[in-house]
């Protein structure tokens, strides 16, 4: 009886352990289907662009009110949001140009410079220059390993 149980276990183990290959059907899309997809993509991108432009217009109005009221904390938030929306608009326009065949797809990296003496909202300014120099490592030490090892 033990040998029958053992044989059954071996057979079940082999059946479970045997890998099977999934047969994925090759999918092809005809040109009319692809054209419909491209058209839908372009419609979606243009709708998103219109929405972002409306948000930018609303933020410009809000910014004008905050400037008149001299509300610096809210103004900083609005200007930051305006920068984000401006970047969204630029990226959407680039995607639309690619979808329309006007330009090739190019990955854009946006780098914002940090102004000296101006701190982002919500972050305290460092007062001691020596403290600032020891808070970060040398320019080439991206992960600040030397400073972490010293602790």
């Amino acid at each position: 009886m033990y040998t029958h149980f053992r044989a059954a276990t071996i057979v079940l183990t082999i059946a479970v352990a045997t890998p099977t290959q999934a047969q994925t059907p090759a999918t092809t899309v005809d040109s009319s289907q692809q054209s419909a997809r491209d058209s839908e993509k372009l419609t979606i991108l243009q709708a998103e662009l219109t929405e972002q432009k409306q948000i930018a217009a609303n933020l410009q109005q809000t910014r004008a009110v905050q400037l008149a009221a001299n509300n610096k904390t809210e103004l900083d938030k609005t200007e930051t949001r305006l920068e984000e929306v401006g970047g969204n608009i630029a990226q959407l326009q680039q995607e639309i140009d690619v979808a329309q065949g006007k330009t090739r797809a190019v990955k854009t990296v946006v780098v914002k410079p940090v102004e000296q003496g101006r701190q982002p909202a919500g972050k305290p300014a460092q007062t001691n220059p020596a403290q600032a120099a020891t808070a970060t490592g040398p320019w080439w030490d991206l992960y600040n390993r030397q400073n972490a090892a010293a602790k």
Side-chain angles (χ1 to χ4, degrees):
M1 183 166 142
Y2 177 71
T3 56
H4 293 293
F5 178 72
R6 189 169 160 192
T9 304
I10 291 173
V11 169
L12 288 175
T13 303
I14 291 172
V16 171
T18 306
T20 58
Q21 291 185 348
Q23 296 297 323
T24 332
T27 55
T28 56
V29 178
D30 64 358
S31 61
S32 64
Q33 229 180 359
Q34 187 60 48
S35 177
R37 289 179 180 179
D38 292 343
S39 177
E40 183 180 4
K41 175 183 178 180
L42 194 55
T43 302
I44 291 169
L45 287 171
Q46 288 172 336
E48 287 181 18
L49 180 63
T50 301
E51 180 183 344
Q52 290 296 309
K53 285 182 177 180
Q54 183 61 47
I55 291 170
N58 293 342
L59 286 170
Q60 288 288 357
Q61 290 175 348
T62 303
R63 182 177 177 270
V65 170
Q66 291 168 344
L67 273 171
N70 200 19
N71 187 347
K72 293 188 186 280
T73 56
E74 291 301 316
L75 183 62
D76 284 344
K77 292 177 186 177
T78 301
E79 287 179 342
T80 300
R81 182 73 177 120
L82 262 169
E83 288 176 15
E84 292 172 6
V85 172
N88 292 346
I89 290 171
Q91 289 176 348
L92 284 166
Q93 189 59 57
Q94 184 180 18
E95 283 293 319
I96 289 171
D97 290 346
V98 169
Q100 292 175 337
K102 292 180 182 176
T103 59
R104 291 186 354 209
V106 177
K107 184 173 182 176
T108 304
V109 178
V110 178
V111 179
K112 288 194 320 186
V114 177
E115 295 176 21
Q116 287 290 16
R118 181 174 179 230
Q119 291 293 322
K123 292 191 178 180
Q126 292 180 341
T127 55
N128 184 355
Q131 181 184 12
T134 59
T136 60
W139 64 269
W140 50 264
D141 190 4
L142 298 178
Y143 299 106
N144 204 10
R145 290 187 189 130
Q146 279 187 344
N147 201 21
K151 290 181 181 178

